[in-house]
Amino acid sequence: MSATPEFFDALETRDPSERESALMAALPRQIAHAQAHAPAFAQLLEGIEAQAITSRAALARLPVVRKHELLERQKAQRDKDVFGGFSAIGWRGAAARAGARRVFQSPGPIYEPEGQAADYWRMGRALFAAGFRPGDLAHCSFSYHLTPAGSMMETGAHAVGCTVFAGGVGNTELQLQAMAELRPQGYIGTPSFLKILLDKAQETGVSLPSLRKALVSGEAFPPSLRDHLRGRGIEGYQCYATADLGLIAYETPAREGLVLDESVIVEIVRPGTGDPVPEGEVGEVVVTTLNPDYPLIRFGTGDLSAVMPGRCPTGRTNTRIRGWMGRADQTTKVRGMFVHPSQVAEIARRHPELGRVRLVVEGEMAQDRMRLSAECGQPAQGLAERVADSIREITKLRGEVELVAPGSLPNDGKVIEDARRYD
């Protein structure tokens, strides 16, 4: 890592066209690598000419792989490949591939490999933006067992040049004692546990004068909690990362959204589809990672976000997103039958004159009803009836249709809204 006083490395301030050219040059190589070394992608991308995927438009034609599919493939292949064919590394007996330094288990269970590369999860960039510097002691309270969060953050801190106290989860009194005696400059962990530690310190009269910065993740970090930490003398920043992909985006001192990591290609797609939405519209975050060890191509995170216009005032030139805005999988059950976002997308696809659509489920349980609100500028005669026929054909349920003016529906990424009363 070669840092300037302001940036983790020179990649952060590249001309956007230079960055895009580099990403698009790396994309076909990564796809070819995935086809050759990850059996799941050899099957999913069968017949795809990797060298032809040199643009975002070409990338958007490839299938989106969502977490439920990854889990299903892992479960189906437990006896021969615990990674379900998605990993290019493993160990002796794990599909005869070597190279994994560690393996982790997330709820599902889903297994994730960790390779040999320094800062494998690329968390150093986020820590640097949060103010961590060489020589700092970082108190890490993320889990060091089963899930990868502790390793993700520790290897990133090492990339910055920090010393790490491996606090792990729980043991509040012991962790607080360590903070008081070791005097760390920074905290890494969930924001809620940091608040617990600070409240306990105040309650017991423990002073933590050295603690001045924090990188938090794993849960929501509302402005109220950020301001509460600031009142205690700690500047807290958040990052967006997953166990499958590592770092996706990170907050900077500008406090204007999250800047994308340099080693991922991020798309925002309409929930239930693989179709990119216009810039600024809320949709599902889909990520293609350039990690050769775990080469996930168009991996659907299931999270909602949106691209922000303009550049970060700090001088970082990569795209910014608005951060976590909810979950994209809005599947719900209506009168005993599941209705999926992909079905709502198919209804809209059959009627291209429609704009943004939202299926609202109303009423009380066992007496629920569906209403599709759809934006349309100049509806043709009988359009509502034809859309209602498509609802019945695709979902096997009856639904009302409400045609509304363009721009009437909120830009929040919701395609299914459950407005039923459960009391």
Side-chain angles (χ1 to χ4, degrees):
M1 187 271 294
S2 176
T4 68
E6 298 86 15
F7 306 109
F8 182 72
D9 59 25
L11 297 178
E12 294 180 355
T13 56
R14 286 181 291 179
D15 184 276
S17 62
E18 178 187 348
R19 176 183 295 107
E20 187 70 4
S21 294
L23 291 174
M24 291 305 105
L27 179 58
R29 295 195 297 269
Q30 180 73 338
I31 292 173
H33 176 78
Q35 289 173 317
H37 300 285
F41 282 110
Q43 181 181 359
L44 289 166
L45 303 180
E46 185 177 4
I48 299 295
E49 179 58 50
Q51 298 310 311
I53 312 301
T54 58
S55 68
R56 289 180 181 266
L59 178 62
R61 291 193 287 269
L62 302 184
V64 172
V65 178
R66 292 189 165 84
K67 185 162 290 194
H68 70 85
E69 182 176 357
L70 187 152
L71 175 59
E72 289 164 4
R73 285 178 176 263
Q74 284 200 3
K75 285 183 174 179
Q77 300 182 42
R78 287 279 192 251
D79 60 333
K80 57 181 179 180
D81 186 345
V82 295
F83 300 119
F86 286 99
S87 177
I89 59 173
W91 55 89
R92 184 161 51 88
R97 294 189 300 272
R101 173 181 287 152
R102 298 185 182 94
V103 59
F104 293 100
Q105 182 195 80
S106 295
I110 293 176
Y111 293 100
E112 297 101 6
E114 180 183 85
Q116 302 287 333
D119 195 12
Y120 173 83
W121 310 89
R122 309 178 313 282
M123 295 302 305
R125 195 176 302 283
L127 284 155
F128 191 91
F132 288 76
R133 293 294 182 269
D136 284 347
L137 174 62
H139 183 109
C140 182
S141 72
F142 274 120
S143 174
Y144 275 81
H145 68 282
L146 291 180
T147 61
S151 183
M152 291 171 74
M153 293 296 186
E154 178 163 310
T155 53
H158 290 164
V160 172
C162 298
T163 301
V164 177
F165 175 76
V169 297
N171 300 303
T172 304
E173 287 80 7
L174 285 175
Q175 294 215 44
L176 185 57
Q177 179 183 359
M179 278 187 163
E181 295 176 352
L182 296 175
R183 298 182 294 280
Q185 282 77 31
Y187 165 91
I188 305 169
T190 63
S192 61
F193 189 64
L194 177 56
K195 184 177 185 301
I196 288 171
L197 287 168
L198 294 174
D199 290 347
K200 189 69 173 179
Q202 187 173 41
E203 175 190 324
T204 56
V206 173
S207 178
L208 300 173
S210 65
L211 194 62
R212 289 291 175 261
K213 51 202 168 194
L215 179 67
V216 300
S217 193
E219 59 188 27
F221 186 44
S224 58
L225 183 50
R226 179 196 65 201
D227 293 343
H228 176 78
L229 296 181
R230 182 176 290 154
R232 309 289 287 272
I234 300 169
E235 284 293 330
Y237 295 87
Q238 61 183 315
C239 68
Y240 172 34
T242 74
D244 319 277
L245 299 159
L247 181 66
I248 299 172
Y250 59 97
E251 192 174 20
T252 74
R255 305 286 190 185
E256 294 183 8
L258 305 182
V259 177
L260 296 184
D261 178 52
E262 297 292 328
S263 296
V264 293
I265 299 171
V266 172
E267 305 167 88
I268 307 294
V269 309
R270 199 169 308 284
T273 77
D275 305 330
V277 299
E279 183 174 308
E281 187 165 332
V282 178
E284 181 184 6
V285 178
V286 170
V287 180
T288 296
T289 174
L290 300 182
N291 177 3
D293 296 337
Y294 202 32
L296 297 176
I297 309 296
R298 297 204 87 199
F299 186 76
T301 64
D303 296 322
L304 294 174
S305 194
V307 169
M308 295 177 61
R311 298 185 187 179
C312 180
T314 64
R316 293 170 174 86
T317 58
N318 209 344
T319 301
R320 298 177 299 168
I321 59 175
R322 290 172 60 185
W324 187 83
M325 300 178 67
R327 292 293 293 169
D329 186 4
Q330 301 150 24
T331 297
T332 190
K333 187 176 280 190
V334 182
R335 297 195 290 277
M337 297 187 66
F338 283 107
V339 179
H340 303 274
S342 58
Q343 292 175 303
V344 180
E346 177 58 26
I347 293 166
R349 192 175 290 114
R350 289 192 181 188
H351 303 278
E353 58 268 58
L354 300 181
R356 196 177 288 150
V357 299
R358 177 185 296 237
L359 186 70
V360 182
V361 185
E362 302 171 301
E364 300 178 3
M365 294 299 289
Q367 296 182 333
D368 37 27
R369 59 187 181 276
M370 298 194 313
R371 171 174 49 86
L372 184 76
S373 294
E375 295 180 358
C376 185
Q378 295 180 324
Q381 185 72 27
L383 175 60
E385 290 78 10
R386 292 193 295 276
V387 174
D389 289 342
S390 295
I391 293 173
R392 187 165 57 253
E393 182 180 343
I394 291 170
T395 69
K396 313 305 178 189
L397 296 164
R398 294 183 181 276
E400 302 172 6
V401 175
E402 175 190 33
L403 300 177
V404 299
S408 299
L409 298 179
N411 177 24
D412 57 7
K414 277 192 176 181
V415 294
I416 299 178
E417 178 184 352
D418 192 342
R420 288 174 289 192
R421 291 172 50 195
Y422 291 90
D423 53 359

